[in-house]
């Protein structure tokens, strides 16, 4: 059953509802995490757990997403960094999926499976059934992305994504809208209808963002510029 996402006039009351806090800057060092860009599209940065564990001076990183590249218990040892974990991210293979879904963590967990292994829909369904959130990269094959979205579009856990460019961010947004409306996801990925995204009413944009939790990017400034040029930030946005 599809969810009707009403299209309205381009001048909506909240032109930033679709992209506010959407972009999650990927930070490879503590210094990068301390100097993340500040814009309407800025969401919590993504920082490796090993980076946080290596901090030896008192630092406050605020709200962050932690990528688990070490045992979560190691984060509790000799901790100098302070932060609030919004979500955890973890990359898994088919043989480590069950272990990941059984992790006990104080914040929600997003699982990024290897979509080249096994049946995509079965893998994503297993993640959703475990009350975890699936994640995927925008560079995956369109068919695999469509299969993921077919499962998560109406699941309560939502999903997160990764993108290498602002153009991939637009493709993910368009595909999410298509999945919620029951439209052609593959077409939306190949040719995002930016006009339709701009025309979404605020309640429809909010519906999209309850499903799409965030998009991890290496260059949040560049992705922000693409969204601005596309008209998704409204006049005068920074």
């Amino acid at each position: 059953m599809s969810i009707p996402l009403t299209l309205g006039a381009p001048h909506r009351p909240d032109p930033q509802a679709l992209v506010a806090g959407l972009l999650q800057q990927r930070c490879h060092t503590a210094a990068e995490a301390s100097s993340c860009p500040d814009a309407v599209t800025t969401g919590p940065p993504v920082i490796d757990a090993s980076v946080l564990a290596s901090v030896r001076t008192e630092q406050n990183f605020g709200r962050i997403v932690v990528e688990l590249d070490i045992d979560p218990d190691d984060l509790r040892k000799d901790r100098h960094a302070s932060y609030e974990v919004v979500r955890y991210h973890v990359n898994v293979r088919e043989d480590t999926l069950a272990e990941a879904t059984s992790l006990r963590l104080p914040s929600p967990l997003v699982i990024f499976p290897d979509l080249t292994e096994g049946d995509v829909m079965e893998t994503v369904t297993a993640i959703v059934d475990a009350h975890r959130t699936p994640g995927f990269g925008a560079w995956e094959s369109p068919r695999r992305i469509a299969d993921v979205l077919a499962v998560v579009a109406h699941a309560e856990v939502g999903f997160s994504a990764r993108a290498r460019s602002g153009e991939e961010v637009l493709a993910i947004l368009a595909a999410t809208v298509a999945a919620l409306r029951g439209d052609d996801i593959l077409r939306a990925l190949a040719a995002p209808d930016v006009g339709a995204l701009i025309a979404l009413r605020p309640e429809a944009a909010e519906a999209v963002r309850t499903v799409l939790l965030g998009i991890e990017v290496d260059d949040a400034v560049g992705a922000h510029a693409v969204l601005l040029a596309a008209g998704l930030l409204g006049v005068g946005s920074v």
Side-chain angles (χ1 to χ4, degrees), residues 64-97:
I64 63 172
V65 173
V66 174
E67 178 151 332
L68 294 174
D69 60 338
I70 60 174
D71 190 312
D73 289 338
D74 290 341
L75 279 175
R76 305 184 181 96
K77 301 174 183 177
D78 301 322
R79 176 171 163 176
H80 295 277
S82 58
Y83 46 82
E84 176 189 350
V85 181
V86 177
R87 280 183 294 277
Y88 291 93
H89 285 183
V90 66
N91 302 309
V92 303
R93 303 183 308 274
E94 189 174 22
D95 60 340
T96 58
L97 176 59

Side-chain angles (χ1 to χ4, degrees), residues 33-34 47 51-53 55-64 66 75 78-85:
S34 299
I47 310 174
V51 170
L52 294 170
V55 173
R56 290 294 174 262
T57 58
E58 296 297 327
Q59 286 185 256
N60 187 345
F61 294 99
R63 300 174 74 251
I64 63 172
V66 174
L75 279 175
D78 301 322
R79 176 171 163 176
H80 295 277
S82 58
Y83 46 82
E84 176 189 350
V85 181

Side-chain angles (χ1 to χ4, degrees), residues 206-227:
E206 290 172 9
V208 173
R209 292 304 307 280
T210 60
V211 176
L212 174 54
L213 305 182
I215 301 178
E216 178 183 326
V217 292
D218 284 325
D219 181 10
V221 173
H224 176 95
V226 171
L227 296 177

Side-chain angles (χ1 to χ4, degrees), residues 70-202:
I70 60 174
D71 190 312
D73 289 338
D74 290 341
L75 279 175
R76 305 184 181 96
K77 301 174 183 177
D78 301 322
R79 176 171 163 176
H80 295 277
S82 58
Y83 46 82
E84 176 189 350
V85 181
V86 177
R87 280 183 294 277
Y88 291 93
H89 285 183
V90 66
N91 302 309
V92 303
R93 303 183 308 274
E94 189 174 22
D95 60 340
T96 58
L97 176 59
E99 180 183 358
T101 57
S102 64
L103 284 173
R104 297 176 65 86
L105 298 165
S107 298
L109 175 65
V110 180
I111 296 176
F112 288 82
D114 184 345
L115 297 182
T116 65
E117 299 179 331
D119 182 277
V120 172
M121 296 187 79
E122 287 183 2
T123 298
V124 176
T125 298
I127 295 171
V128 170
D129 287 348
H131 305 290
R132 305 298 193 180
T133 297
F136 66 84
W139 52 86
E140 300 285 355
S141 77
R143 181 69 266 169
R144 293 190 182 110
I145 292 176
D147 286 345
V148 174
L149 291 177
V151 176
V152 303
H154 309 300
E156 295 182 356
V157 294
F159 75 93
S160 287
R162 290 169 172 158
R164 299 166 296 187
S165 66
E167 288 75 19
E168 286 187 343
V169 170
L170 287 175
I172 293 169
L173 284 168
T176 305
V177 172
L180 289 171
R181 298 186 67 196
D183 292 341
D184 190 328
I185 298 173
L186 295 177
R187 179 181 297 176
L189 284 167
D193 186 345
V194 176
L197 296 179
I198 293 172
L200 283 175
R201 295 186 183 279

